[in-house]
Amino acid sequence: MCGIVCYVGKKKAKPILLEGLKRLEYRGYDSAGLAVQDGNHIHCFRTTGKIIELEKKINDLDICGTTGIAHTRWATHGEPSEANAHPQMDQDENIFLIHNGIIENYHTLKKRLEKSGTVFRSETDTEVLAHLIALNFDGNLDEAVRKTMAQVEGTFGLAVIHRHKPGEVVVARRGSPLIIGIGKDENFAASDVAAMVRYTNKVIHLNDNELASLSDEGITISTAQAKTVERATETVEWQPEDAELNGFPHFMLKEIFEQPETIRNAIRGRLEPGEGVPKLGGIMPVWEKLKECRHVVIVACGTSYYAGCVGRYTFEKLTEIGVEVELASEFRYRKLNFPPNTFIIAISQSGETADTLAAIREAKRKGAHLMGIVNVVGSSISRETEAGIYCHAGPEIGVASTKIFISQLTILTLLALLLGRHQKLSLTEGVEAIKALSALPDQLKRVLAQDNYIQAVAEKYYRWNNWLFLGRKYGYPIAMEGALKLKEISYIHAEGYAAGEMKHGPIALINPEMPTVAIVPKDSMHEKMLNNIHEIKSRRGPVIAIATEGDEKIKEMADDVIEIPQTLDYLYPILCVVPCQLLAYHCARFLNREIDKPRNLAKSVTVE
Ligand code: F6R
């Protein structure tokens, strides 16, 4: 998705902006641009394609300016082209503006502006912002942006500089993230902390309908109604090296291998082994209501949604709470009707997914309590929910989510266990769960140690165009997540199915050229899964089984077996998903795909 980076300080802006753009590459984009102010001159460069193209264009130019804005664009209005890339300018080229989000009333505004003689040079909705700010400018850039905010509908994170206001960047936000980075004699702004973390870990999150003026001397924040805002800085936990490959060929592989540590980070300081009860400080604000709650709705998108689907089974096993799981994009348009004291749990890596945000806002209007399971600290979902639990998993750079899924599963288990211990679980059950959770990081290392074998399995099958992933109960969402991983990074068609549905249709697909990945750990569904595998083998379909160590029966039946250590039923998903991630990764690698930045995808989906 689009990315914003801004700098104002005493150093040359060009290298800082380019570096920041590279840190945002993982979010997905199709064109890029930057504008650097040198006195009363603004150098502006835009290009389609990769940031390296932009770099080539400006590498030999000595641009001394110390104030600038830069952008990666993911086309929504108008094809990816130089004219449509940002910065966008007004007619006199006084205003240079970059924008994330969508201006919904841009047609009306554009027509009005054209009638009064404004000539448009792009097909973007963003250009109207540049013209409006120019028209509203009478010496105060802050004020011009504020007036423009009142005229536009839709979402924006924007940054603007003016030819006659050297050393000032104004940023504003409504519905699209914008974070200010505080340095010494320099300040930054970006749509994602990854762009600034190399220079500062002190940040301030801008709220919706706020704007800020940045100079090398400081920042001032105000509301759309011109009320001054005082806000304390927060410290970001991420380290610059979190955003480096550290010897791995891809971020996806690095993040898969980080997963034992991801679990440790999710449980660190949160387990009371003797009591068999997790401690979750972030939910204390709602604890009294939550422990009485008997109805939870989990809302999320994509991989986070599949984590929620696993969570439903875990909650039902460990608590007395009834759980619904809904795709946020569907939930937001439903006619909602909850029992009293319903909790909505939004699950999101980025904390900025537009559909998930819209879903919780709608649920709040209807009186539900809101909680979040979020990775990005200070993100919109974390701020709009009453309470929540952070994943503490560090940045996830690969577009395909891996380590965050593991983290979400771990946290859902902790939450279910905490509630369960107050409802129906005995001390023995609590202690057993904590012991099994604590063993997961080392068990996961045993799964990762089979990487070479999994690569060999992928080599055997990567040319096959259609795959099936099957599971039951806890294994069903893992089948869906496995299929999603394979299709999104390798572009192989894959379906994730509940194995019990086979006879209702999908079994017709089985033939010797359709591999099935069967999620078949030794849990309560084991025997039934074996029956499904029999059915597939009788139709000569190849089967790759993900099975518990020492399961001799499965070795006789399946063509290839990837083993996982034994654990509790409801923890198997955490181990079973890792071979699926590695299979997808290696297939994509054999097919020479752009693994960290698959086509048409963006890391954070901040528009509907
Ligand atoms: C798939 C993937 C996406 C995200 C989805 C939700 O690998 O990463 O399906 O899970 O876009 O994003 P978040 O979790 O940021 O709300």
Side-chain angles (χ1 to χ4, degrees):
M1 206 67 7
C2 306
I4 286 177
V5 195
C6 313
Y7 175 75
V8 51
K10 302 210 182 302
K11 299 181 195 131
K12 284 187 183 177
K14 181 181 97 172
I16 295 173
L17 294 174
L18 281 172
E19 166 70 24
L21 286 184
K22 285 183 197 158
R23 301 284 167 191
L24 297 186
E25 277 195 295
Y26 77 96
R27 297 167 65 97
Y29 67 102
D30 44 44
S31 49
L34 59 70
V36 176
Q37 184 146 27
D38 239 340
N40 278 346
H41 180 71
I42 293 181
H43 304 272
C44 180
F45 301 92
R46 302 180 293 185
T47 172
T48 52
K50 300 283 171 211
I51 290 164
I52 186 117
E53 302 303 325
L54 182 66
E55 207 170 7
K56 274 189 214 152
K57 219 171 178 175
I58 59 177
N59 240 354
D60 296 335
L61 305 177
D62 187 20
I63 302 172
C64 298
T66 61
T67 304
I69 56 177
H71 192 255
T72 46
R73 174 172 186 257
W74 195 77
T76 54
H77 292 67
E79 57 168 9
S81 69
E82 208 171 302
N84 289 337
H86 303 193
Q88 289 288 314
M89 288 82 78
D90 67 312
Q91 285 197 135
D92 298 333
E93 300 197 358
N94 284 325
I95 293 288
F96 290 75
L97 175 132
I98 56 181
H99 163 226
N100 291 355
I102 292 177
I103 303 303
E104 282 162 9
N105 60 340
Y106 97 98
H107 265 301
T108 321
L109 293 169
K110 186 172 177 178
K111 268 194 204 143
R112 201 181 300 154
L113 285 163
E114 279 175 335
K115 250 192 193 159
S116 52
T118 304
V119 178
F120 277 75
R121 288 175 287 186
S122 79
E123 301 157 280
T124 63
D125 53 336
T126 301
E127 195 181 341
V128 296
L129 290 170
H131 293 302
L132 286 174
I133 294 172
L135 287 172
N136 288 326
F137 181 78
D138 62 4
N140 184 333
L141 189 54
D142 233 42
E143 203 40 48
V145 171
R146 186 173 289 113
K147 281 188 187 150
T148 306
M149 285 167 80
Q151 293 170 290
V152 297
E153 287 160 22
T155 54
F156 51 82
L158 63 85
V160 57
I161 53 177
H162 192 289
R163 182 186 303 280
H164 301 305
K165 301 292 278 179
E168 181 179 12
V169 178
V170 173
V171 295
R173 132 169 210 166
R174 184 187 296 156
S176 189
L178 244 174
I179 304 139
I180 298 166
I182 313 291
K184 191 171 168 338
D185 298 330
E186 59 183 3
N187 289 302
F188 305 79
S191 49
D192 182 331
V193 285
M196 314 184 281
V197 81
R198 185 161 167 204
Y199 307 101
T200 180
N201 63 353
K202 299 272 174 264
V203 301
I204 293 179
H205 291 267
L206 217 54
N207 283 340
D208 276 347
N209 294 312
E210 286 181 350
L211 59 156
S213 167
L214 281 63
S215 71
D216 58 1
E217 288 173 356
I219 62 154
T220 54
I221 306 178
S222 55
T223 64
Q225 290 74 36
K227 221 173 129 214
T228 305
V229 174
E230 297 294 336
R231 184 157 307 137
T233 55
E234 293 169 48
T235 304
V236 177
E237 294 167 11
W238 298 1
Q239 302 302 318
E241 55 274 18
D242 287 343
E244 309 284 345
L245 279 165
N246 293 338
F248 282 91
H250 296 98
F251 281 106
M252 181 177 177
L253 192 65
K254 177 185 173 223
E255 286 157 6
I256 292 173
F257 272 83
E258 272 170 19
Q259 292 180 118
E261 197 50 31
T262 306
I263 299 181
R264 281 197 197 96
N265 289 339
I267 61 179
R268 183 167 295 121
R270 289 174 168 165
L271 299 182
E272 287 268 23
E275 301 289 315
V277 187
K279 287 187 296 189
L280 298 169
I283 61 167
M284 281 309 122
V286 295
W287 176 243
E288 290 306 320
K289 285 176 255 166
L290 183 62
K291 71 179 186 201
E292 301 306 326
C293 148
R294 290 295 178 272
H295 187 233
V296 159
V297 185
I298 298 177
V299 291
C301 299
T303 290
S304 298
Y305 167 75
Y306 296 138
C309 294
V310 174
R312 169 173 43 202
Y313 293 108
T314 315
F315 265 68
E316 286 171 1
K317 163 105 183 160
L318 301 183
T319 75
E320 286 166 348
I321 298 172
V323 180
E324 290 172 59
V325 194
E326 283 263 14
L327 288 167
S329 53
E330 291 295 319
F331 179 85
R332 62 184 289 191
Y333 294 114
R334 277 187 44 206
K335 200 155 185 260
L336 302 177
N337 191 2
F338 318 116
N341 202 27
T342 292
F343 269 78
I344 305 293
I345 304 181
I347 307 181
S348 175
Q349 187 286 125
S350 60
E352 302 292 349
T353 301
D355 282 321
T356 313
L357 259 171
I360 59 169
R361 286 174 184 157
E362 187 54 25
K364 188 175 178 186
R365 254 174 240 129
K366 300 284 163 24
H369 300 296
L370 305 182
M371 274 179 58
I373 296 178
V374 171
N375 187 42
V376 178
V377 175
S379 56
S380 301
I381 293 176
S382 74
R383 286 179 299 133
E384 293 196 25
T385 42
E386 294 162 69
I389 309 166
Y390 279 122
C391 295
H392 295 310
E396 188 179 63
I397 309 274
V399 163
S401 189
T402 52
K403 66 174 179 174
I404 300 301
F405 182 70
I406 292 278
S407 184
Q408 292 165 340
L409 295 183
T410 309
I411 286 168
L412 282 162
T413 310
L414 292 179
L415 183 59
L417 186 58
L418 173 61
L419 289 163
R421 285 285 286 121
H422 283 270
Q423 293 173 355
K424 64 174 190 184
L425 294 181
S426 66
L427 174 64
T428 318
E429 286 167 308
V431 169
E432 178 194 44
I434 286 190
K435 200 169 150 217
L437 271 163
S438 311
L440 283 174
D442 287 336
Q443 292 186 316
L444 210 59
K445 281 191 184 160
R446 271 159 51 199
V447 180
L448 292 169
Q450 296 173 76
D451 185 38
N452 285 343
Y453 171 65
I454 298 172
Q455 179 177 342
V457 176
E459 190 168 15
K460 199 164 147 190
Y461 297 104
Y462 76 91
R463 291 187 192 82
W464 303 31
N465 293 327
N466 296 292
W467 291 44
L468 191 62
F469 285 71
L470 287 184
R472 283 173 182 261
K473 203 171 172 181
Y474 299 104
Y476 168 40
I478 298 305
M480 293 194 286
E481 170 61 6
L484 176 63
K485 284 292 88 91
L486 187 66
K487 59 188 142 192
E488 69 181 329
I489 61 161
S490 73
Y491 318 147
I492 294 171
H493 172 241
E495 300 262 5
Y497 253 99
E501 279 291 291
M502 280 298 274
K503 289 199 186 72
H504 302 288
I507 201 163
L509 290 169
I510 300 297
N511 68 40
E513 283 171 11
M514 179 152 188
T516 296
V517 178
I519 315 298
V520 55
K522 273 210 166 155
D523 62 7
S524 56
M525 293 289 114
H526 184 249
E527 285 302 319
K528 294 212 180 296
M529 278 302 298
L530 292 186
N531 292 341
N532 287 117
I533 294 172
H534 266 304
E535 287 160 7
I536 296 165
K537 289 311 305 170
S538 354
R539 287 156 184 85
R540 296 195 298 127
V543 171
I544 306 160
I546 298 176
T548 307
E549 285 168 354
D551 184 343
E552 296 307 323
K553 264 197 205 160
I554 204 81
K555 286 188 188 147
E556 286 163 21
M557 295 165 70
D559 298 77
D560 303 275
V561 180
I562 304 167
E563 291 190 319
I564 52 159
Q566 188 175 4
T567 185
L568 301 175
D569 269 29
Y570 56 87
L571 297 180
Y572 270 125
I574 294 178
L575 299 176
C576 286
V577 76
V578 177
C580 297
Q581 296 168 343
L582 285 169
L583 272 175
Y585 172 81
H586 288 298
C587 285
R589 200 155 180 205
F590 285 123
L591 291 164
N592 280 324
R593 304 300 191 215
E594 262 209 85
I595 292 179
D596 285 332
K597 285 169 256 161
R599 68 184 179 203
N600 308 333
L601 289 178
K603 182 66 186 163
S604 176
V605 185
T606 51
V607 290
E608 189 176 352

